[in-house]
Amino acid sequence: MRIRFWGTRGSLPKPGRATLRYGGNTACVEVRTASGGLIVLDCGTGAHELGQSLPETSQRPLRGHLLITHTHWDHIQGFPFFAPLFDASTEWDIYAPGGLGKRLEETLAGQMEYTYFPVTLEQLGATVRYHDLVEGAFEIDDVYVLARYLNHPALTLGYRLEVGGASLVYAVDHEPHAGHDTEADAEEKTALPVHQEDRRHIEFLAGADLVIHDATYTLEEYSQRVGWGHSPVEYAVDVAVAARARRLALFHHAMSHDDDAMDRIVAGCRERVRARGGDLEVFGAAEGQVIELPERQPRRAGGVDDTARRITAGGVGRRTVLIVDDAPDVLSVLMRTLQIEGYRLLTADDGESALRIARAERPDLILLDWILPVRDGLAVCRALRAESDPKLRDVPIVLITAQTEPEHVAAGFAAGATDYLTKPFKVAHVRSRVRGWLLRTSASANGNEAGEPP
Ligand SMILES: [Zn+2]
Ligand SMILES: [Zn+2]
């Protein structure tokens, strides 16, 4: 695999003298396989230069695959300026998280509406196929792709690409699920995180030759930005070390981090790796930088279960969500947030009625407050997990609580919670978390009968 960074920043392009070395463009990474395959990760403003280079570096007719993590501006703003899309001889397959009601094509067309842009999506000359993805696996030619939901206020997928024994993970626009404590001593830092989703994140990165990871903030900056969906650099280092990855590219540089700030951040990260006794190589992703990951063995395509393409035709709009909270203000915020998604909503304000409603209505997801009258959230979790109805035993339960201490988080998972969201939460986070769990469960419940990719 040959990887080239065309845009490394997050949020907003930052051209100018202070960003010459690490670059000023937003997220776009080119991946070439030994067999000539072309995969583009995200389509931020860096995609413009990439598009200019492709006629010289590619065979004709040009064929490419574009993997979009999510449709926040900094990941799609280069799309209308990506020249190969206007070339009738080229073919593109475009993939992004789906099942959100609005399909990928409509979302991309949105930023090209007359008000914002003079050319519409229909005017693109290339043959373009759109693919909605959920968490799971699929293949692009001889490349095995694993898509995994990340923790971000919009539903976001990270991608792990494997070919010929070489592996690359692209995990941007993600923040730790259970905070990140820099003061913990070295022994605690090497222990696995208590939040199950943080553990899954480390599994996702496991043994990768290169991890391109969100590293938007320093830990100090992150303390003021919890819930914004981005990682402190220290977390990126710690998960990459825990995953025994070989190299870590800090990515999605903050608007306020110029070249000098990036040099200091990279030096700090290397110091952190040394202090932990790791051999991880850390660098700040720089525009124009090329990384080669040798492919050690040939890989034949086929044999992969296409789980990432199993999206139900109707999406998740008509699913039932039970919200359990005794605080009327929290209940009404959650109701208003989830009503927008078109779910069927049920509510309860104590543990006993929560159980009664769950048994009668068999919801697809439960948002559950920990502290409740009659029976608390943990008791409700345990009772549901002991039911004879498999739907209730397996229903995703997202525990919502202000308890952030590791022992509390661990107790929540031990009681049978599927996920753990700490208050104060951002409503956008609740939306993306609920969507993610509903999509995950609908994809696995639908098995082979699920729809074909569009
Ligand atoms: Zn971003
Ligand atoms: Zn984003």
Side-chain angles (χ1 to χ4, degrees):
M1 257 191 276
R2 188 167 184 270
I3 292 131
R4 183 170 179 144
F5 294 102
W6 292 93
T8 59
R9 309 204 75 87
S11 311
L12 193 74
K14 281 290 279 193
R17 288 182 192 171
T19 57
L20 284 177
R21 285 185 289 119
Y22 289 91
N25 282 299
T26 58
C28 182
V29 180
E30 175 188 8
V31 180
R32 295 277 188 167
T33 62
S35 58
L38 167 63
I39 295 177
V40 179
L41 296 162
D42 275 333
C43 209
T45 60
H48 175 254
E49 276 299 311
L50 166 63
Q52 300 301 303
S53 80
L54 286 177
E56 256 124 76
T57 58
S58 311
Q59 293 174 335
R60 298 195 70 84
L62 176 64
R63 168 107 211 267
H65 301 265
L66 171 59
L67 295 179
I68 293 173
T69 54
H70 64 309
T71 50
H72 279 162
W73 273 348
D74 48 330
H75 301 259
I76 59 166
Q77 218 166 15
F79 186 81
F81 299 93
F82 189 50
L85 293 171
F86 295 89
D87 177 350
S89 72
T90 73
E91 261 183 61
W92 286 89
D93 286 274
I94 304 178
Y95 309 79
L100 312 185
K102 249 191 181 182
R103 295 181 76 83
L104 174 57
E105 194 171 350
E106 287 172 51
T107 311
L108 290 173
Q111 72 164 350
M112 296 173 77
E113 277 174 18
Y114 179 67
T115 316
Y116 312 110
F117 199 72
V119 181
T120 65
L121 193 68
E122 298 90 72
Q123 287 170 271
L124 300 181
T127 302
V128 180
R129 289 176 290 268
Y130 298 92
H131 307 272
D132 283 336
L133 297 178
V134 287
E135 188 172 272
F138 67 107
E139 271 184 321
I140 295 176
D141 302 327
D142 57 350
V143 183
Y144 168 81
V145 185
L146 186 63
R148 186 58 72 79
Y149 288 129
L150 301 177
N151 188 24
H152 197 58
L155 193 68
T156 301
L157 283 171
Y159 298 105
R160 181 180 176 116
L161 311 182
E162 292 180 15
V163 61
S167 50
L168 161 71
V169 176
Y170 182 71
V172 304
D173 291 52
H174 172 76
E175 77 175 293
H177 283 82
H180 200 65
D181 184 8
T182 183
E183 301 308 327
D185 63 29
E187 200 179 320
E188 272 180 66
K189 275 181 218 151
T190 48
L192 277 176
V194 286
H195 199 297
Q196 281 177 15
E197 290 299 297
D198 284 326
R199 291 186 185 206
R200 283 185 86 229
H201 188 62
I202 292 171
E203 275 168 38
F204 183 51
L205 273 47
D209 295 307
L210 174 64
V211 172
I212 301 171
H213 202 282
D214 191 308
T216 304
Y217 305 125
T218 62
L219 202 52
E220 198 185 346
E221 291 163 344
Y222 179 65
S223 63
Q224 306 300 311
R225 306 275 191 279
V226 173
W228 291 35
H230 298 291
S231 295
V233 292
E234 291 83 351
Y235 169 79
V237 169
D238 290 354
V239 289
V241 168
R244 301 189 183 282
R246 288 205 174 80
R247 278 192 271 192
L248 168 67
L250 306 176
F251 195 83
H252 205 274
H253 311 321
M255 290 177 282
S256 58
H257 293 169
D258 61 13
D259 288 339
D260 292 343
M262 284 307 302
D263 285 344
R264 286 193 296 274
I265 286 168
V266 171
C269 288
R270 289 177 179 161
E271 189 50 49
R272 189 176 183 88
V273 173
R274 268 195 295 277
R276 304 272 304 274
D279 53 4
L280 176 76
E281 185 191 315
V282 185
F283 61 94
E287 212 170 290
Q289 187 179 9
V290 176
I291 308 279
E292 301 269 0
L293 304 181
E295 292 176 26
R296 294 178 289 270
Q297 69 231 28
R299 206 191 106 76
R300 280 209 316 268
V304 170
D305 204 8
D306 258 1
T307 49
R309 308 243 197 135
R310 284 181 192 154
I311 290 208
T312 40
V316 293
R318 291 180 298 279
R319 318 286 304 280
T320 300
V321 178
L322 170 59
I323 309 170
V324 190
D325 206 305
D326 60 328
D329 52 336
V330 179
L331 205 58
S332 87
V333 166
L334 290 172
M335 287 283 286
R336 269 182 283 134
T337 303
L338 296 177
Q339 252 155 10
I340 304 166
E341 308 279 48
Y343 306 132
R344 172 172 171 253
L345 300 177
L346 307 168
T347 59
D349 55 11
D350 70 76
E352 203 56 52
S353 19
L355 276 177
R356 185 168 35 79
I357 295 169
R359 285 177 187 129
E361 303 285 343
R362 307 175 76 228
D364 298 296
L365 182 137
I366 302 176
L367 283 176
L368 182 64
D369 190 20
W370 180 318
I371 298 164
L372 290 169
V374 194
R375 251 183 208 249
D376 72 11
L378 294 200
V380 173
C381 273
R382 284 190 212 102
L384 287 168
R385 295 315 185 210
E387 290 284 321
S388 54
D389 180 353
K391 171 102 185 180
L392 295 179
R393 279 205 311 267
D394 299 337
V395 62
I397 302 175
V398 181
L399 203 58
I400 296 191
T401 164
Q403 307 280 4
T404 55
E405 296 76 16
E407 56 273 25
H408 284 102
V409 181
F413 284 112
T418 316
D419 199 350
Y420 191 102
L421 201 59
T422 45
K423 288 184 206 169
F425 52 79
K426 290 229 168 27
V427 291
H429 260 291
V430 174
R431 278 177 79 168
S432 85
R433 202 66 69 86
V434 168
R435 278 174 180 180
W437 280 113
L438 288 175
L439 284 164
R440 275 195 259 221
T441 48
S442 69
S444 58
N446 276 283
N448 293 330
E449 51 167 324
E452 286 298 301

